[in-house]
């Protein structure tokens, strides 16, 4: 079965069914809490989930992925397909038609020129766009008229739904961002903190790493939406306090990503103020291995770049041994219960793209020790730490501040020390760790550590753009403001060639084979990524909040315009 067949018949062509609201703003105020506070309201400036999702209330794409992974139009009239003429027969172009009468929140018309500009903005030289992989195969974007945009690909594109689809690839206003191209992107504080959008809400006040105050967009295209007049989007704290604020005290209406032990969530639910919602998608908790040297002894323009290979993690045998030492079943037990499952894959779903690899499922401490011995990493100093050529195996292991992640760190530290490594743990506030501040030494992109742990996923059901993040030269580095997507600085020409092949392959079965091979190159062959847990997303909402549809394929706040108050 070819993807063209899917393009012909398996795309959802109607938007989300609307809720029946009396009038815009009639349900008053809604409180949302994300325990990782947004640091910027521009997903092209940060790949952090908290930044992408808060931005999605303001900025919108042409289309989204619904809770089933199906494509639905948002700013577009319909999803282009081969059948309706929107996708060319040779799969080299996709043409989008905007809805008529779209306005930016400042009252000016949104046109196809804004779509063209968004492409130019993300691909401008000197800007390490956090969503650059979305445009990896695009050769041009042109406005055919005020409401029509044509995207042309450099080769037949069996999955043309990467640019301008989902919360990671929204449209920005040309008038607001036109002076923010390339090197200037990070200097446009007003635009990055107060974007003019087409979404249901507008920013009234943004305090980075703290709170966002929003109000209903007076120019939103549905005159009866959103139901809420104002929003408080609170950031910071921890998952436990966020969960209690919804499930026990009722202070907040929605809490994101309750990364807590299952027994903790169960106890909170006894408070009776709310309920949890769970969904599995492609969210994988994993360890990234730094292939570059993060030492502060190096010059600033060399540190954590490919100019300086890592002193011991450059050895694949060391990376493999560290993976072998981990007991993933125990991590699931202490961290997620039924909301988690062990995995050896970066891409755990959909089934078509999931590798059958189970090599990492069994902990093998003795095998890990033997592998390190074979690689020449032995304790020559008698201090219990393996070394080679004067370099000791001292690991700085960082992640964001979170009770589950700190439990994982403790367990992994113990296992790694059992095989002869010395491990120092560091945790950083999620607001900082997942922020896009090029001046901060503590972001996951800058990676001033040896290993780091986090989770993210991809929009939709096709992993092409996600896997393309690990292309050579796509890494964060000083000359792109530390905004690249290739976090561990992996580079393999064979991998890049397979990416190119995936981008030109339309047969679904063959696409699955290629994607599985790419996944295994990262996880099974090179161990640059060490997957741990396939995580179900657990969030919570109050008993009085209606319209919530948990979506693991797009922003969790994808349908916030449809939320409403339930009277008890």
């Amino acid at each position: 079965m070819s993807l063209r067949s899917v393009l012909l018949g398996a795309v959802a062509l109607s938007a989300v069914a609307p809720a029946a609201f009396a009038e815009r703003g009639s349900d008053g105020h809604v409180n949302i809490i994300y325990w990782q506070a947004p640091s910027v309201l521009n997903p092209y400036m940060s790949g952090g989930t908290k930044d992408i999702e808060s931005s999605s209330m303001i900025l919108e794409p042409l289309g989204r992925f619904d809770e089933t992974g199906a494509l639905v139009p948002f700013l577009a009239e319909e999803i282009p397909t081969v059948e309706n003429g929107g996708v060319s027969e040779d799969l080299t172009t996709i043409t989008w038609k905007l809805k008529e009468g779209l306005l930016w929140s400042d009252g000016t018309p949104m046109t196809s020129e804004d779509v063209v500009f968004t492409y130019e903005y993300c691909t401008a030289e000197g800007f390490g766009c956090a969503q650059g992989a979305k445009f990896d195969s695009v050769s041009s974007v042109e406005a055919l008229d005020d409401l029509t945009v044509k995207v042309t690909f450099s080769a037949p594109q069996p999955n043309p739904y990467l640019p301008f689809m989902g919360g990671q690839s929204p449209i920005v206003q040309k008038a607001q961002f036109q002076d923010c191209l390339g090197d200037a992107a990070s200097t446009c504080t007003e635009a990055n903190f107060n974007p003019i959008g087409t979404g249901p809400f507008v920013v009234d006040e943004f305090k980075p790493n703290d709170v966002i105050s929003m109000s209903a967009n007076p120019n939103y295209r549905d005159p009866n939406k959103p139901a809420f007049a104002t929003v408080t989007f609170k950031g910071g704290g921890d998952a436990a306090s966020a969960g209690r604020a919804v499930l026990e005290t009722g202070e907040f209406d929605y809490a994101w990503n309750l990364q807590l032990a299952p027994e903790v969530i169960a106890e909170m639910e006894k408070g009776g103020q709310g309920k949890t919602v769970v969904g599995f998608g492609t969210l994988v908790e994993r360890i990234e291995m730094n292939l570059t040297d993060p030492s502060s002894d190096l010059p600033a323009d060399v540190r954590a770049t490919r100019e300086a290979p890592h002193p011991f993690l450059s050895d694949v045998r060391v990376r493999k041994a560290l993976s072998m030492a981990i007991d993933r079943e125990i991590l699931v037990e202490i961290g997620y219960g039924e909301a988690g499952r062990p995995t050896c894959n970066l891409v755990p779903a959909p089934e078509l793209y999931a590798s059958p690899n189970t090599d990492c499922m069994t902990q093998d401490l003795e095998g890990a020790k033997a592998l390190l011995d074979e690689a020449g990493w032995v304790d020559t100093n008698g201090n219990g730490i393996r070394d080679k050529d004067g370099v000791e195996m001292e690991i700085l292991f960082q992640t964001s501040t979170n009770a589950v992640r700190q439990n994982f760190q403790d367990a992994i530290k113990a296992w790694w020390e059992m095989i002869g490594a010395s491990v120092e743990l560091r945790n950083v506030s999620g607001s900082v760790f997942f922020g896009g501040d090029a001046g901060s030494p503590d972001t996951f992109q800058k990676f001033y550590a040896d290993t780091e742990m986090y989770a993210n996923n991809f929009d939709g059901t096709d992993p092409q753009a996600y896997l393309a993040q690990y292309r050579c030269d796509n890494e964060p580095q000083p000359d792109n403001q530390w905004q690249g997507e290739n976090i561990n600085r992996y580079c393999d020409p064979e991998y890049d060639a397979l990416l190119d092949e995936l981008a030109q392959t339309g047969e679904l079965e063959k696409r699955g084979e290629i994607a599985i091979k790419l996944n295994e190159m990262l996880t099974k062959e090179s161990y640059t990524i060490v997957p741990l847990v396939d995580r179900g997303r657990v969030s919570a909402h109050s008993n009085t909040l209606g319209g919530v549809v948990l979506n693991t394929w797009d922003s969790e706040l994808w349908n916030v315009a449809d939320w409403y108050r339930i009277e008890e």
Side-chain angles (χ1 to χ4, degrees):
M1 181 181 182
S2 70
L3 192 56
R4 180 176 297 181
S5 301
V6 177
L7 294 173
L8 284 168
V11 175
L13 298 179
S14 60
V16 180
F21 299 148
E23 61 181 271
R24 177 179 294 154
S26 60
D27 283 349
H29 190 77
V30 64
N31 289 306
I32 299 171
I33 185 166
Y34 272 45
W35 52 271
Q36 293 175 6
S39 55
V40 68
L41 292 177
N42 178 357
Y44 295 112
M45 289 294 299
S46 171
T49 301
K50 40 87 175 184
D51 299 318
I52 292 169
E53 301 208 349
S54 55
S55 301
S56 73
M57 301 176 69
I58 305 152
L59 300 171
E60 297 180 302
L62 300 183
R64 287 196 183 281
F65 304 91
D66 70 10
E67 74 278 10
T68 71
L71 286 68
V72 292
F74 262 62
L75 297 178
E77 278 285 357
E78 62 180 357
I79 297 295
T81 65
V82 172
E83 185 178 50
N84 63 27
V87 176
S88 63
E89 287 284 342
D90 63 2
L91 305 182
T92 60
T93 68
I94 182 170
T95 302
W96 293 89
K97 282 279 192 180
L98 299 178
K99 292 177 178 176
E100 292 188 8
L102 291 173
L103 297 176
W104 291 103
S105 56
D106 64 1
T108 60
M110 180 204 167
T111 73
S112 54
E113 290 292 340
D114 294 298
V115 183
V116 174
F117 173 78
T118 300
Y119 165 69
E120 294 172 347
Y121 171 71
C122 184
T123 57
E125 186 176 353
F127 177 34
C129 181
Q131 310 301 335
K134 291 283 189 178
F135 302 98
D136 196 42
S137 300
V138 175
S139 61
S140 67
V141 179
E142 56 185 317
L144 303 185
D145 57 45
D146 283 351
L147 298 179
T148 310
V149 178
K150 181 180 180 181
V151 180
T152 300
F153 300 103
S154 55
Q157 193 71 7
N159 176 29
Y161 306 115
L162 296 179
F164 316 123
M165 278 291 301
Q168 297 175 1
S169 189
I171 311 304
V172 297
Q173 188 192 53
K174 179 178 180 179
Q176 185 180 33
F177 282 87
Q178 60 188 346
D179 295 327
C180 304
L181 294 174
D183 293 338
S186 63
T187 68
C188 292
T189 303
E190 176 62 24
N192 293 328
F193 285 5
N194 297 279
I196 294 167
T198 58
F201 295 98
V202 298
V203 180
D204 295 325
E205 183 180 18
F206 176 38
K207 298 178 181 178
N209 302 322
D210 185 8
V211 66
I212 315 167
S213 298
M214 293 183 251
S215 57
N217 177 0
N219 292 302
Y220 188 60
R221 56 189 172 276
D222 188 326
N224 296 319
K225 295 181 182 180
F228 292 104
T230 54
V231 180
T232 295
F233 191 112
K234 184 71 177 76
D238 54 46
S241 59
R244 284 193 295 269
V246 171
L247 298 172
E248 293 183 0
T249 70
E251 179 185 359
F252 280 82
D253 294 294
Y254 191 86
W256 161 85
N257 188 22
L258 298 187
Q259 195 176 357
L260 299 164
E263 63 271 15
V264 174
I265 293 177
E267 187 63 29
M268 287 180 181
E269 288 186 302
K270 294 178 182 178
Q273 296 297 310
K275 61 192 73 174
T276 56
V277 283
V278 182
F280 276 93
T282 58
L283 186 65
V284 171
E285 190 79 15
R286 82 288 195 129
I287 294 172
E288 298 267 350
M289 300 283 180
N290 196 343
L291 300 184
T292 64
D293 191 344
S295 172
S296 58
D297 294 334
L298 295 171
D301 60 345
V302 174
R303 183 185 186 188
T305 73
R306 283 201 282 123
E307 290 187 44
H310 196 280
F312 55 86
L313 290 176
S314 295
D315 188 335
V316 65
R317 294 168 295 184
V318 173
R319 302 194 298 270
K320 182 177 181 179
L322 294 175
S323 177
M324 293 169 65
I326 296 170
D327 190 328
R328 290 159 176 81
E329 291 282 359
I330 288 180
L331 294 181
V332 169
E333 182 179 339
I334 65 176
Y336 299 101
E338 293 184 359
R341 45 201 182 199
T343 186
C344 301
N345 291 323
L346 176 64
V347 179
E351 185 177 356
L352 172 67
Y353 300 110
S355 168
N357 176 31
T358 59
D359 288 1
C360 76
M361 291 299 190
T362 302
Q363 183 187 44
D364 186 1
L365 293 170
E366 294 307 313
K369 293 176 185 177
L371 186 59
L372 291 173
D373 288 342
E374 174 190 311
W377 290 93
V378 295
D379 180 13
T380 62
N381 300 321
N383 61 358
I385 304 171
R386 292 177 182 267
D387 61 90
K388 182 179 180 181
D389 299 330
V391 176
E392 294 204 318
M393 193 177 292
E394 297 176 331
I395 300 172
L396 175 57
F397 178 19
Q398 71 178 11
T399 189
S400 64
T401 305
N402 168 269
V404 170
R405 286 197 170 125
Q406 269 66 81
N407 287 340
F408 276 27
Q409 278 187 307
D410 290 340
I412 293 168
K413 171 184 168 71
W415 292 324
W416 284 354
E417 289 183 341
M418 287 179 188
I419 64 172
S422 172
V423 184
E424 177 187 349
L425 302 180
R426 179 169 69 189
N427 67 82
V428 181
S429 165
S431 302
V432 175
F433 188 67
F434 295 111
D437 184 359
S440 171
D442 295 321
T443 65
F444 81 106
Q445 298 102 321
K446 192 161 281 187
F447 207 169
Y448 283 173
D450 302 296
T451 63
E452 64 184 11
M453 178 173 59
Y454 61 91
N456 64 11
N457 59 351
F458 53 91
D459 280 350
T461 57
D462 190 290
Q464 180 178 323
Y466 192 58
L467 292 166
Q469 293 178 348
Y470 297 92
R471 187 183 288 278
C472 294
D473 299 322
N474 194 30
E475 67 271 11
Q477 50 191 310
D479 61 6
N480 65 13
Q481 304 170 73
W482 298 99
Q483 290 298 324
E485 301 161 286
N486 185 349
I487 302 302
N488 50 24
R489 289 58 162 162
Y490 174 80
C491 182
D492 184 339
E494 181 184 347
Y495 185 90
D496 289 0
L498 273 177
L499 282 175
D500 294 337
E501 184 179 349
L502 179 63
Q504 299 171 34
T505 300
E507 189 68 32
L508 279 179
E509 184 176 344
K510 182 64 175 176
R511 284 181 67 77
E513 291 174 1
I514 296 171
I516 286 171
K517 174 61 176 175
L518 289 166
N519 171 83
E520 291 182 348
M521 289 179 73
L522 294 172
T523 60
K524 184 180 180 180
E525 297 176 14
S526 70
Y527 294 90
T528 55
I529 296 174
V530 175
L532 304 173
V533 181
D534 177 10
R535 284 175 42 194
R537 179 66 60 82
V538 182
S539 295
H541 65 85
S542 68
N543 294 328
T544 64
L545 183 62
V548 174
V549 179
L550 184 67
N551 188 342
T552 61
W553 306 107
D554 205 314
S555 166
E556 272 197 33
L557 304 177
W558 72 296
N559 76 327
V560 69
D562 297 327
W563 290 7
Y564 59 93
R565 184 67 67 197
I566 299 171
E567 297 297 333
E568 288 191 315

